[in-house]
Amino acid sequence: MKLQITLLMMCLFFISCKNDRETDGESAADTYTVPVEYYKLDNGLKVILSEDKTAPTAIVAVYYNIGFRIEPKNRTGFAHLFEHMMFQGSENLGKMEFINLVQKNGGVLNGSTRFDFTNYFEIVPSHKLETMLWAEADRMKGLDITQENLTNQQGVVKNEVRVNVLNQPYGGFPWLDMPQYANTNWYNSHNFYGDLEDLDAANLEDVESFFNTYYSPNNAALAVIGDFDREEVRGWIQKYFGSIPSASLPEKPDISEPLQTEEKRFVKNDSLANKPAIAIAYKMPERNTPEYFAMGLLDQILAQGDNALLRQKLVSEKGYTSGISGGINFLGNMFNYNGPMLWMFNFTYDNGKTEAEIVGAVDEVMDSLKLTIDQKALDGAVVKMRSDLYDELGGTFGMGRADLLCSFALFDDDPGRINTLEEEFRKITPEVIHKTIDDYLRPTNRTILRVNPLLANDKNSAQ
């Protein structure tokens, strides 16, 4: 479900006041430490509390360790379909009552499905925090699983696929397309949105089994961020979540990817597109290694901001495109996934240009990259990364903080990692950067996907 987020003007006011105070000289510390209190309930639920008294609001975020990467075979799109089911009613809240409960109390809510988790969150005035904890626990305890709800949501998801993918120019490009071309393991390379036949084939037994297996407290992390009393909140969490039974979790499938040794190139015909587009993806180093953090800095140097090398070459110097998009983990950030991943960038370009010209310009950047990067360039990348990290922490009224805390709890059992990220980036030396370029930014580790715009009817576009 993708509910439109309504802005909380009260929050904007307080955020504005906070920024004014900082620039007026209450000298911000060189590093900001996020408060983190972490513990587990007896049923395995991971709980993270992080106080923030700058606004009278609170965030409740629940992350379940199930994303579309490990959804059942022959049930593509099932993780996303199930996300919709979580808004269809629970033990004590009827259809749409969860949404109404949040919105009538001045809050906002949303949910999403990603590679390795499905999440739900509410941002509410802090005096409604207990109500939100009760409501989240209510649907974790018992979802209203009926054939009527399932049939209804199968229709909603299929319509979403038609609107966002099948009937839209560049639909699914590159976030949905590229994993299917670049990866070889089914878990990383199937249609995450779901084939329409698979969505139709989902039955009540599938839904009940999925809920009982993956929506258990020992497969979840709960974060509470904002203005609250810690002891009071701990009591509420124990009261509402403590009695929910844990489940026996299945062994996780092997989601590893083999080493890529040859470049891959593909063309996707798009009858609705009028300009060619290209996406270039490189397989990432393993998460949390020095090379992984080095790739985070290389992403800043190559693709992020006006001074990024790819932007300078493709936009400013060559004039091939008006801008590029991309980064690590197209559906999130470099921290909130747990498995093989791609670093990818994409852009549309003029019909008169060929794929050879476009890739040639990219190779000019890549071939000279090691000569470009010295300690000064690396220091600049760390500054940009630090800025991005702080933007992330404050994003969506603090939801970015909840996202990192829950991700690190689920994947590392250590939400305190949120306070060590900057240090990890500062450890990276030019030598590590150069080794990472040699090992990962090589042509034989990349996949190139070009959109052929049939609507343009341009001979050059088909070259």
Side-chain angles (χ1 to χ4, degrees):
M1 168 169 276
K2 302 292 182 290
L3 297 173
Q4 186 175 6
I5 295 181
T6 310
L7 294 180
L8 288 177
M9 297 308 294
M10 183 170 63
C11 290
L12 286 175
F13 171 77
F14 280 100
I15 289 170
S16 174
C17 289
K18 177 175 181 288
N19 289 338
D20 288 345
R21 284 199 300 271
E22 288 177 349
T23 52
D24 278 344
E26 284 181 81
S27 64
D30 288 342
T31 56
Y32 171 67
T33 301
V34 176
V36 179
E37 180 176 341
Y38 181 48
Y39 65 99
K40 297 175 188 174
L41 301 188
D42 290 342
N43 58 16
L45 179 66
K46 297 174 176 176
V47 179
I48 313 105
L49 306 182
S50 184
E51 288 182 85
D52 182 352
K53 304 288 187 183
T54 55
T57 59
I59 300 173
V60 174
V62 181
Y63 278 50
Y64 293 95
N65 198 178
I66 172 67
F68 41 56
R69 203 200 292 266
I70 60 170
E71 61 193 1
K73 289 187 175 181
N74 301 321
R75 290 291 184 271
T76 58
F78 199 82
H80 176 227
L81 170 65
F82 201 87
E83 175 205 322
H84 284 244
M85 291 295 292
M86 284 290 279
F87 291 93
Q88 297 308 300
S90 56
E91 203 168 283
N92 294 294
L93 290 171
K95 192 179 180 72
M96 295 299 293
E97 287 186 0
F98 189 102
I99 296 170
N100 290 335
L101 182 67
V102 176
Q103 293 181 336
K104 286 182 178 178
N105 280 293
V108 296
L109 74 162
N110 212 334
S112 65
T113 310
R114 295 293 183 262
F115 286 98
D116 300 295
F117 63 78
T118 305
N119 70 344
Y120 306 89
F121 70 87
E122 302 83 46
I123 306 172
V124 294
S126 52
H127 69 282
K128 289 298 177 183
L129 176 54
E130 182 181 8
T131 304
M132 290 304 105
L133 290 170
W134 169 81
E136 278 292 2
D138 193 60
R139 60 180 176 179
M140 186 186 286
K141 270 192 301 188
L143 200 61
D144 188 16
I145 299 173
T146 66
Q147 186 60 53
E148 180 185 1
N149 286 341
L150 175 58
T151 302
N152 177 272
Q153 292 311 304
Q154 285 170 313
V156 171
V157 172
K158 286 194 297 182
N159 189 54
E160 198 174 310
V161 173
R162 292 188 184 98
V163 170
N164 292 339
V165 179
L166 301 179
N167 297 324
Q168 184 177 135
Y170 312 102
F173 176 83
W175 71 270
L176 185 60
D177 297 322
M178 184 58 89
Q180 298 179 61
Y181 289 104
N183 295 319
T184 57
N185 186 329
W186 180 89
Y187 290 104
N188 304 313
S189 62
H190 66 275
N191 178 358
F192 301 136
Y193 231 142
D195 293 324
L196 298 186
E197 287 184 4
D198 282 353
L199 290 169
D200 274 333
N203 56 45
L204 271 185
E205 186 179 13
D206 295 329
V207 174
E208 289 173 350
S209 172
F210 196 84
F211 179 75
N212 292 331
T213 302
Y214 295 111
Y215 278 69
S216 54
N218 53 322
N219 199 45
L222 163 69
V224 180
I225 317 293
D227 183 15
F228 55 80
D229 179 88
R230 281 191 298 167
E231 289 308 310
E232 190 172 47
V233 167
R234 285 179 69 113
W236 291 337
I237 290 171
Q238 180 61 40
K239 178 180 179 182
Y240 298 121
F241 289 89
S243 62
I244 303 174
S246 57
S248 177
L249 299 175
E251 186 176 347
K252 290 189 176 175
D254 177 10
I255 61 172
S256 63
E257 283 289 325
L259 182 70
Q260 185 170 334
T261 56
E262 292 183 354
E263 182 183 79
K264 303 177 186 178
R265 295 201 183 204
F266 301 94
V267 176
K268 176 188 177 184
N269 289 323
D270 189 332
S271 61
L272 301 176
N274 58 12
K275 291 181 70 173
I278 197 165
I280 301 179
Y282 294 77
K283 293 213 171 118
M284 279 284 294
E286 186 178 346
R287 189 169 166 269
N288 296 337
T289 59
E291 291 83 2
Y292 160 85
F293 288 104
M295 277 298 293
L297 297 179
L298 285 165
D299 173 50
Q300 294 292 337
I301 291 168
L302 286 165
Q304 307 303 326
D306 290 340
N307 66 343
L309 297 180
L310 287 169
R311 173 179 286 273
Q312 289 290 315
K313 175 65 72 175
L314 297 164
V315 179
S316 303
E317 182 183 328
K318 299 285 188 180
Y320 288 165
T321 183
S322 59
I324 66 171
S325 302
I328 300 167
N329 185 9
F330 213 80
L331 294 177
N333 54 59
M334 71 174 289
F335 309 113
N336 61 4
Y337 70 89
N338 191 31
M341 186 48 64
L342 300 169
W343 174 68
M344 174 168 61
F345 57 92
N346 67 285
F347 53 91
T348 59
Y349 57 94
D350 293 339
N351 283 309
K353 299 300 174 189
T354 66
E355 179 178 321
E357 289 175 291
I358 297 298
V359 175
V362 170
D363 283 342
E364 286 181 33
V365 175
M366 295 301 183
D367 291 345
S368 62
L369 189 55
K370 286 169 69 175
L371 300 176
T372 307
I373 298 178
D374 53 15
Q375 188 60 54
K376 182 180 178 183
L378 204 51
D379 292 341
V382 171
V383 171
K384 289 171 67 178
M385 173 59 75
R386 187 173 188 265
S387 176
D388 275 3
L389 185 58
Y390 279 71
D391 280 347
E392 186 70 35
L393 291 178
T396 318
F397 310 114
M399 183 54 206
R401 182 194 302 197
D403 176 69
L404 295 187
L405 291 171
C406 284
S407 297
F408 292 147
L410 281 182
F411 306 145
D412 306 293
D413 197 20
D414 182 14
R417 283 197 59 214
I418 197 171
N419 289 318
T420 65
L421 296 175
E422 188 177 340
E423 179 186 344
E424 294 298 328
F425 286 111
R426 290 191 183 282
K427 290 178 184 174
I428 302 305
T429 63
E431 289 72 26
V432 176
I433 288 283
H434 290 173
K435 180 177 184 303
T436 305
I437 293 170
D438 288 339
D439 290 348
Y440 294 93
L441 293 182
R442 51 184 166 81
T444 50
N445 188 44
R446 74 183 177 190
T447 301
I448 298 175
L449 174 61
R450 178 170 60 85
V451 171
N452 185 31
L454 299 183
L455 195 62
N457 192 26
D458 189 309
K459 292 181 180 178
N460 288 331
S461 68
Q463 292 178 19

